[in-house]
Amino acid sequence: MNMLKSTFAIILLSAILVSCAQTTNKSNNNNTSKANDLELFKKSVNTIRPNIRNIEDVSALLYLSGADYIPGLVNDPMNWERYQDKDVVLAANMGVYIVDGLYQAAFHEKKSAYMSFMAGKSIATHLGVSNIFEEMIIKRLNEGIAPEDALIERFNELLYNAEVVFNEKEANRLFTALLTGTYIEKQYLLFSSIFSLPEDLTDEEKLMLTSRLIVSTSEELKQLPELLKIIDSYKVEDEKLFLYDQLVELEQLRSKLNLGGAFEKTKPEDFFSNPELNLMHNKLIEIRDFMISAK
C-alpha cells in the first residue's frame, strides 16, 4: 500500500472538509460553528493516529493544521559531525533528522528534506546500520512510500547485528536515545509552530490555526507516558539513560497541563497566557538545544 500517498490523500480530503467548515463559520460566525469546525478537525487528526512509533505523524498533523513551514526549526544537516564522539547523541539526532526530513517533505521542501535524510544516513553509517537506513527510509521515500511503522523496533534489533559491535546495554541506550530524539523533535516542531504564528493572519485565522495546533499537540503529548514506559522497560535500575530525567520533568509538566476548552477561546492570546504551556515550551527548547548542541 502506498502509505505516503494515502496519508496525504487523507490530509487533502480533510483540508477540503475543514475549508468547507471555515466557509460555514464565516457565514454563521458563532461559537457553535467554530466548535463544529474543530470537532471535524479532531476527527481528521484521529485518522492520522499519532503514535510514539509513528515517525511521520507530526508532519501530517502540521500540514493538516495549516501551519507554515519554518526553515529555522530544523537541525542543520552539517551538525551531525559534532556528535561522532557520543554514540547516544548520534542516535538521538538520527531521530531528529528523520523527523525533520519528513517535516520538510510534507511541505515540498525536497532539497532540504534530502539533506536531512542524508545527515541521518551518515549517522546510521557511523553506527553500522546504513544498509537498513537506506532500505527503510531513503528507498521507500523515493518510491513514494512512508517509512515502516516498525522502524523503531527494527532499529533496535539491527543494533545487535551492526557492523559496529554493541553489547546489550549499549544497544538499549542507543534505542532509547532514538526514541527520545524523535519524540522531542516532534514536540519541538509543534510547540514552535504554536508560538510562531504568521504575522499576516487575521485574529480569527490565528485563533483557528492555534486551536488546530493545540488539538494536534494534545494528541502527541498523550504519547509521553508511553515513551517513558518503553524506556523504563529497557532501563537497568539506577541507570542514567540519555535525557531520561528531563523527560520525567516534561511528563510532570504535561500532567499539570490543561489544554481543554479550546472551543471557548476567543483570541490566540488566551492560549499563550497558559503558564503550563509556556513552561513546557521552554522545557522543550532546553532539552532540544542540549540534544543538538552535543554538550
Side-chain angles (χ1 to χ4, degrees):
M1 178 179 178
N2 192 322
M3 292 174 60
L4 190 60
K5 291 179 181 176
S6 176
T7 296
F8 283 101
I10 291 171
I11 290 172
L12 291 175
L13 175 60
S14 301
I16 292 171
L17 292 172
V18 171
S19 177
C20 291
Q22 282 181 307
T23 301
T24 303
N25 192 41
K26 288 179 180 178
S27 62
N28 294 334
N29 193 26
N30 56 45
N31 288 337
T32 301
S33 180
K34 186 177 76 171
N36 290 339
D37 188 16
L38 283 174
E39 281 291 353
L40 180 61
F41 175 77
K42 192 169 184 178
K43 290 178 181 177
S44 300
V45 168
N46 289 336
T47 66
I48 298 171
R49 295 184 181 87
N51 189 284
I52 196 66
R53 295 174 174 83
N54 185 350
I55 57 175
E56 68 165 4
D57 54 356
V58 75
S59 306
L61 289 171
L62 284 167
Y63 190 94
L64 177 59
S65 298
D68 282 351
Y69 170 68
I70 306 175
L73 295 184
V74 301
N75 191 12
D76 187 339
M78 303 305 294
N79 283 348
W80 85 267
E81 295 184 349
R82 299 181 185 177
Y83 315 135
Q84 293 184 62
D85 293 337
K86 296 180 180 179
D87 286 341
V88 70
V89 180
L90 275 170
N93 279 280
M94 186 169 79
V96 168
Y97 284 126
I98 293 172
V99 172
D100 285 350
L102 290 168
Y103 168 60
Q104 292 161 323
F107 287 88
H108 310 293
E109 299 289 334
K110 296 180 181 178
K111 182 178 179 180
S112 297
Y114 176 80
M115 295 299 293
S116 291
F117 288 133
M118 286 300 100
K121 184 182 177 183
S122 296
I123 291 176
T125 300
H126 190 88
L127 295 175
V129 292
S130 59
N131 290 341
I132 197 62
F133 188 92
E134 179 73 29
E135 177 66 28
M136 298 180 69
I137 303 294
I138 306 302
K139 184 173 183 291
R140 291 177 65 83
L141 287 170
N142 286 341
E143 294 173 351
I145 306 172
E148 297 175 4
D149 291 345
L151 169 67
I152 302 297
E153 285 81 359
R154 290 283 302 280
F155 176 78
N156 193 38
E157 294 172 9
L158 290 162
L159 283 171
Y160 291 101
N161 299 309
E163 298 163 19
V164 179
V165 178
F166 299 107
N167 61 39
E168 182 177 359
K169 183 177 180 179
E170 290 169 337
N172 288 341
R173 287 174 65 87
L174 295 181
F175 173 53
T176 56
L178 175 65
L179 282 174
T180 300
T182 57
Y183 183 80
I184 292 299
E185 191 68 357
K186 288 180 186 182
Q187 291 295 345
Y188 175 76
L189 292 176
L190 283 166
F191 270 81
S192 296
S193 295
I194 292 172
F195 284 86
S196 303
L197 297 178
E199 293 295 330
D200 58 348
L201 297 182
T202 66
D203 286 344
E204 183 180 352
E205 289 170 333
K206 286 182 179 179
L207 178 60
M208 182 53 64
L209 175 55
T210 306
S211 299
R212 292 178 190 164
L213 288 168
I214 290 292
V215 169
S216 300
T217 302
S218 297
E219 290 302 307
E220 283 289 342
L221 283 172
K222 292 176 184 176
Q223 310 308 316
L224 183 51
E226 175 68 12
L227 172 62
L228 286 169
K229 182 179 178 181
I230 294 171
I231 293 176
D232 281 336
S233 69
Y234 286 94
K235 184 173 176 285
V236 178
E237 186 177 359
D238 297 327
E239 182 184 12
K240 292 291 185 180
L241 292 178
F242 184 63
L243 291 178
Y244 181 82
D245 291 343
Q246 290 87 337
L247 287 176
V248 171
E249 290 178 23
L250 199 63
E251 169 57 16
Q252 291 170 348
L253 291 174
R254 187 202 68 82
S255 65
K256 299 175 184 177
L257 182 63
N258 180 13
L259 293 178
F263 301 154
E264 290 78 30
K265 304 298 183 184
T266 59
K267 54 185 183 296
E269 289 78 10
D270 292 340
F271 290 108
F272 306 138
S273 61
N274 185 319
E276 286 79 19
L277 190 70
N278 281 278
L279 284 171
M280 282 209 73
H281 182 218
N282 292 332
K283 175 57 68 173
L284 280 165
I285 292 174
E286 175 189 322
I287 296 173
R288 202 259 189 175
D289 284 351
F290 177 84
M291 187 168 60
I292 70 170
S293 65
K295 291 179 180 178

